[in-house]
Amino acid sequence: MDLKKLAARLIPDENLPSLEDCEKAYPPRKLKQGAEVTRLAPSPTGFIHLGNLYSALADERTAHTTDGIFYLRIEDTDEKRKVDGAVESVIRSLKYFGVNFDEGAEIDGENAYGPYYQRRRAPIYRAFAKDLIERGLAYPCFCTEEELDEIRKIQTEKKEVTGYYGAYAVWRDKSEEEIYAALDAGKPFVIRLRSQGDVNIKHTFRDAIKGSITVTENNQDVVILKSDGIPTYHFAHAIDDHFMRTTLVIRGEEWLSSLPIHIELFKVLGFELPRYGHTCSLMKVDGGTKRKLSKRKDPELSLDFYRAAGYYPQAVIKYLMTILNSNFEEWVAKNPDKDYKQFPFSVSKMGKSGALFDLDKLNDVSRDELSKITPDEMFEFLAAWVAEFGTDADRAHFNDREYIVKILALIMGAGQKKRRKDIVRAEQGVRLLDYFFDDTFAPQYTFRADGETVKVMLEGFAKLYDEADDNSAWFAKLKQAAAAAGFAAENAEYKANPQAYKGNVTDAAEIVRIAITGSPNSPDLCTVMGILGKERSLARLTAAIN
């Protein structure tokens, strides 16, 4: 069979680039020895989730800790499933979490290795497919979907591996006459790889994450060009990773089954195989057993969950780092003030089995991270969340920056040797501010003392209160009002004769605290009243009596 003639008939394009020109157009990158080139290559068929962020962080850290390149490639070969806005969502979501690309789709700057959308690179794929046909390593297949379904049905009934291979690869050895007859009849066709593999042969493969694994050779005649001339993922990714000079492909372990196909494609194309590292799945404990995080069952798999709840972006990243590298927590303990980007990230230290995702632990990390920032930085963080997710009342409150920064300084313990850790995420942090505003102050007056005692205590303290008092003077007046209401002014007095009093000074303070904040728990009450101001504080003491 004249393979050049067949290739020209199957792929008649006259202006395809030569294979040599492709090599010249995308030369090896000039990077220092050991620098890694990694990529995130999503398809625009959905929106990014926690697993994508997990892998993207591994890619980004690997590239940037080695002075390499991290780029974004969009694998848009499946036009039918494309979701509008998906690409922008990927970039926006990763940027929110501080994971930035050096180059790629929609990234400003030098894009010498683009275009980064696969559909725009069709001539390159077609050139290499044509070369494979000319070398007898690819061929046309005219099977209909119904015929392929019938093949799968037979294989399933026989309990055989499904796919297009061996005796089931019905167009693999068709004659020249049969092929041209199908072409002349205008039958649609795809281009398939003529696999050279043997499933009886196994090799040891060094996975960058999982270590040594056994890989069986591929014998599937996979489609490399679809009927519309657009490549499949398998074919396009091999060519793109070569010409974008990818050195390490980090991807989910669900791709392990495709590894034999990719190894063979790189071999027949004459390209050096990049290193592959397959990440473990994110797991959670559910009912005492571990299972994979599920889009259907687990809202925490969606990145929108973390944005809507107001998780501090760096907290999410630092928590994921603890999953990615087991020695990260130890490093943080020794270097509490260092940026996580200074950590010597290593792919070899990534987990080989399921990574357990623990929302409670993330909350602990978030609480710790937020305790380190200044009240002004906290205001910026909360204000950004309020602008997108807050109520109208929240947005009105955040117009008074000075007032809210005062509140945050109190809540966070600014200036204290040991900072408070009251805020876990923005949503909860904003709600901690509610009682400082009359329109969102919703007290639950649940006093442990009787109504008359509450009345005497609050009226007595209201008469004594002076907003100019410091903490010591404020507390002295609280004790004076407490004694007048029947409480022990000193704890020692109460311990000596508890039956003689209605309670101790702490019980008396709780009555004032509930009246002022609506809760038995709050930060320093003297400071709270100082922030609220005398008029508002006295009004609340009066309102709690009625």
Side-chain angles (χ1 to χ4, degrees), residues 357-375:
F357 182 81
D358 184 346
L359 198 58
D360 289 337
K361 188 170 183 179
L362 169 59
N363 289 337
D364 289 339
V365 174
S366 187
R367 185 182 289 108
D368 187 61
E369 288 300 304
L370 285 174
S371 74
K372 297 176 183 177
I373 65 178
T374 67

Side-chain angles (χ1 to χ4, degrees), residues 271-400:
F271 300 154
E272 181 180 353
L273 187 72
R275 289 159 54 234
Y276 284 90
H278 293 86
T279 63
C280 55
S281 300
L282 290 177
M283 314 286 285
K284 73 175 292 185
V285 175
D286 186 2
T289 59
K290 287 184 182 180
R291 63 167 175 79
K292 290 183 182 180
L293 282 176
S294 161
K295 290 181 182 179
R296 184 172 57 85
K297 296 180 180 179
D298 305 308
E300 64 266 36
L301 188 60
S302 168
L303 291 190
D304 288 340
F305 168 83
Y306 301 94
R307 293 191 64 190
Y311 276 94
Y312 192 46
Q314 183 160 304
V316 176
I317 291 299
K318 289 189 77 169
Y319 174 62
L320 289 178
M321 288 289 290
T322 67
I323 301 177
L324 285 166
N325 268 192
S326 58
N327 59 329
F328 179 71
E329 283 186 273
E330 181 183 352
W331 180 85
V332 170
K334 293 179 180 178
N335 305 278
D337 299 322
K338 285 189 177 181
D339 191 309
Y340 77 90
K341 292 181 180 179
Q342 295 178 264
F343 170 70
F345 180 80
S346 174
V347 172
S348 64
K349 287 187 170 63
M350 290 178 66
K352 295 176 174 58
S353 57
L356 185 62
F357 182 81
D358 184 346
L359 198 58
D360 289 337
K361 188 170 183 179
L362 169 59
N363 289 337
D364 289 339
V365 174
S366 187
R367 185 182 289 108
D368 187 61
E369 288 300 304
L370 285 174
S371 74
K372 297 176 183 177
I373 65 178
T374 67
D376 280 293
E377 289 170 331
M378 180 68 84
F379 175 87
E380 295 295 340
F381 170 59
L382 297 182
W385 181 86
V386 163
E388 187 172 0
F389 300 104
T391 65
D392 289 341
D394 294 334
R395 284 185 278 275
H397 297 167
F398 270 77
N399 287 329
D400 192 344

